[in-house]
Amino acid sequence: MPAIAFDNSYARLPEHFFARLSPTPVPQPGLIAVNEALADELAIDPAHLRSEAGIAWLAGNALPEGAEPLAAAYAGHQFGGFVPQLGDGRAILLGEVVGRDGVRRDLQLKGAGPTPWSRGGDGRSPLGPVIREYLVSEAMAGLGVPTTRALAAVTTGESVWRQTGRLPGAVMARVAQSHIRVGSFQYFAARDDTEALRALADHVIDRHYPEARAAENPVLAMLEAVIARHSALVAQWMQLGFIHGVMNTDNCSIPGETIDFGPCAFMDRFDPAKVFSSIDRHGRYAWGNQGRIVQWNLAQLAQALLPLLAEDSEAALGLAQTAVDGFPSLFETAHTRGFAAKLGISQVQEGDEELIVASLRMMAEGGVDFTLFFRGLTSCARGGDASQLRALFEKPEVFAAWLPGWQQRVAAEQDAAGLMARVNPVFIPRNHRVEEAIQAARAGDLGPFQRLHAVLSRPYQEQPDNAAYEAAPQPEEEVLRTFCGT
Ligand code: AMP
Ligand code: MG
């Protein structure tokens, strides 16, 4: 029996959807990590992944039986500018596996060598971004956010050259419901290839949105469902203080997962205008802009789907516009519900939206750590002393003025503390901890990576032995910038 039960539906799409090619071998593969629980969900024996044969294909030095490797074609708006041809430049899809839960998932190697879409890049990935993606994507999964997953990571024994100099290389095995993006549709729309658009939409409906098939207009139903998933996703990100950092349309997943962890980061001190990415000079992808930007990305999807929405172009435009116009209210509802829960409110009532707005303003003005604030507030709801929470603020008087209003509102709730403990994590992948894990891994020590990963697998649970991982960075530990690392 093959080690992996591949069933590769994307590889059965028309040939101009991708380029078939194998990963480029590396000199000396070495295992970094295997995600045993995820392997098990995919019915892959974790022992196989740790074996010499497993490590060989994880590094791209061999192909697992049943794989049909390919690099997918896609386009995308990068920082608002349209690039008609991007594609997998350093990722190779090995194929798809249907897991124990019946869900079909892509198995992809990132950093597996050049492809026809590498555009001058080396097709490789340094170790740092692999460690970051492994930690942050698994943390997202632990936090309950739809996300691509890390199945395994290996070092290559090969150096990659970046602006900062020579870095150790790595390959990550990534799992996603699929790697189809808004940019996948844009690729064919830009070429007026309506037949391909239709084939892709059919594939997406069958694979990700089967309920849309029964609708009067299945493509419209699919578009609406993508919009709904993304409104919930971006609201979840914001509730955790997550800043994706590079929300280009090629990084906007059609199944609605968090994808591409290049310059992403969780913020420490709350600031709605916070940006980490070194290339986001104008704050396009700042924390507080993410709802608007997702809507913009979804408008690009709607635009690409126009030829499939209706025969009459005016009618198609009307349907697309209405679907996209539905985003703000879906997002606002998810945003309000989510932040209400963080404050201990189970059912949103009149006045709660104002309380949320005032809370966020208070947090920004008062200068408080986002995660510590909500966790401290959870302790307050349990009957804890507010003075500890007050001490987290640079300007405690701003907090003191806000507190009575919250106390009054939450007094009407049955189990505010219980609700808050479920939605306010104790642990997030703090940037300085991720950076620490990366630095250590570069020096050959995987201990900090493994410890951080273990802590983040139970983010909502108090872990007294790991209390140090709760802490905000000291000023000298603070990470101010993140890099795509490409
Ligand atoms: P990203 O910023 O990771 O979303 O990547 C944008 C585009 O650049 C995608 O088409 C990637 O495949 C491509 N790309 C990024 N890094 C590399 C690299 N090192 N080699 C080749 N292509 C790359
Ligand atoms: Mg990308």
Side-chain angles (χ1 to χ4, degrees):
M1 230 184 57
I4 304 173
F6 280 108
D7 176 42
N8 308 324
S9 65
Y10 203 82
R12 295 193 282 270
L13 287 166
E15 288 292 320
H16 67 300
F17 278 52
F18 44 73
R20 297 187 189 270
L21 84 170
S22 290
T24 304
V26 302
Q28 208 180 17
L31 195 60
I32 299 172
V34 164
N35 187 337
E36 305 226 342
L38 181 60
D40 190 59
E41 279 174 43
L42 299 175
I44 300 172
D45 181 0
H48 165 70
L49 295 178
R50 293 187 181 282
S51 72
E52 206 175 315
I55 295 171
W57 72 253
L58 287 170
N61 285 5
L63 281 176
E65 194 183 332
E68 292 173 88
L70 60 86
Y74 57 83
H77 277 91
Q78 299 194 304
F79 289 88
F82 187 62
V83 185
Q85 183 152 312
L86 285 168
D88 288 330
R90 57 171 160 167
I92 294 181
L93 178 69
L94 293 178
E96 298 152 31
V97 193
V98 178
R100 293 190 200 281
D101 55 2
V103 177
R104 173 181 295 275
R105 292 192 180 81
D106 275 3
L107 180 48
Q108 189 198 59
L109 297 181
K110 191 168 176 184
T115 78
W117 289 291
S118 296
R119 297 178 301 149
D122 59 3
R124 293 298 184 191
S125 177
L127 175 62
V130 166
I131 293 281
R132 175 177 288 271
E133 175 154 352
Y134 199 111
L135 285 170
V136 182
S137 66
E138 286 306 300
M140 286 302 240
L143 289 161
V145 182
T147 179
T148 63
R149 303 285 306 269
L151 177 65
V154 295
T155 49
T156 59
E158 192 176 70
S159 297
V160 293
W161 292 88
R162 295 294 180 265
Q163 273 167 335
T164 47
R166 201 167 82 144
L167 296 165
V171 179
M172 169 148 150
R174 179 159 82 176
V175 170
Q177 282 196 35
S178 82
H179 288 84
I180 303 169
R181 316 127 195 275
V182 169
S184 311
F185 284 100
Q186 289 183 291
Y187 179 85
F188 297 115
R191 287 162 180 74
D192 286 325
D193 188 346
T194 306
E195 216 177 301
L197 273 179
R198 198 176 304 282
L200 184 59
D202 274 335
H203 177 84
V204 164
I205 291 171
D206 289 344
R207 187 167 172 183
H208 301 304
Y209 298 98
E211 63 287 354
R213 186 62 72 199
E216 194 186 324
N217 185 337
V219 175
L220 178 62
M222 173 193 84
L223 173 63
E224 288 169 346
V226 176
I227 290 172
R229 280 195 200 174
H230 274 280
S231 64
L233 178 68
V234 74
Q236 267 189 302
W237 287 354
M238 290 175 67
Q239 284 147 33
L240 293 165
F242 179 74
I243 302 166
H244 182 284
V246 59
M247 294 169 70
N248 295 329
T249 58
D250 53 304
N251 292 333
C252 190
S253 138
I254 291 296
E257 294 179 320
T258 312
I259 185 169
D260 205 316
F261 293 84
C264 73
F266 285 74
M267 66 179 146
D268 299 301
R269 185 184 184 284
F270 179 58
D271 170 10
K274 185 72 187 169
V275 166
F276 285 98
S277 170
S278 61
I279 55 173
D280 191 359
R281 287 191 200 90
H282 305 292
R284 179 179 170 92
Y285 301 143
W287 178 84
N289 263 353
Q290 297 182 105
R292 269 189 296 278
I293 282 294
V294 167
Q295 185 181 359
W296 191 88
N297 288 348
L298 295 167
Q300 307 316 308
L301 173 63
Q303 167 94 30
L305 292 174
L306 285 176
L308 307 183
L309 286 174
E311 268 182 40
D312 175 65
S313 60
E314 282 296 310
L317 204 55
L319 293 173
Q321 191 67 54
T322 307
V324 175
D325 285 348
F327 179 88
S329 101
L330 289 170
F331 169 67
E332 284 306 329
T333 304
H335 183 77
T336 302
R337 273 209 198 118
F339 270 100
K342 288 178 81 70
L343 292 170
I345 298 167
S346 55
Q347 293 280 335
V348 176
Q349 295 172 4
E350 218 182 294
D352 288 342
E353 264 174 70
E354 289 74 9
L355 176 65
I356 291 165
V357 171
S359 304
L360 293 173
R361 194 183 313 124
M362 176 280 292
M363 290 170 65
E365 272 175 27
V368 70
D369 182 272
F370 186 84
T371 307
L372 290 178
F373 170 74
F374 282 109
R375 208 58 207 190
L377 199 65
T378 308
S379 303
C380 276
R382 275 197 204 110
D385 178 3
S387 63
Q388 274 182 4
L389 181 51
R390 195 186 150 105
L392 294 175
F393 282 80
E394 274 164 29
K395 292 187 193 159
E397 66 281 4
V398 180
F399 168 67
W402 169 88
L403 185 63
W406 172 75
Q407 282 171 327
Q408 203 179 4
R409 173 63 185 88
V410 167
E413 289 288 330
Q414 294 276 323
D415 182 24
L419 173 61
M420 292 169 81
R422 286 193 296 280
V423 297
N424 293 320
V426 186
F427 301 100
I428 52 158
R430 290 201 184 260
N431 235 336
H432 66 295
R433 290 291 186 180
V434 173
E435 223 32 70
E436 177 186 64
I438 290 172
Q439 297 301 341
R442 275 194 198 135
D445 175 10
L446 290 172
F449 161 76
Q450 287 157 348
R451 282 193 290 279
L452 183 55
H453 179 256
V455 168
L456 293 169
S457 66
R458 293 178 293 135
Y460 295 100
Q461 277 175 35
E462 308 272 358
Q463 302 174 37
D465 291 348
N466 293 317
Y469 289 88
E470 291 177 34
Q474 296 298 317
E476 71 278 7
E477 291 176 320
E478 205 174 338
V479 177
L480 301 174
R481 283 271 163 271
T482 53
F483 301 89
C484 274
T486 55

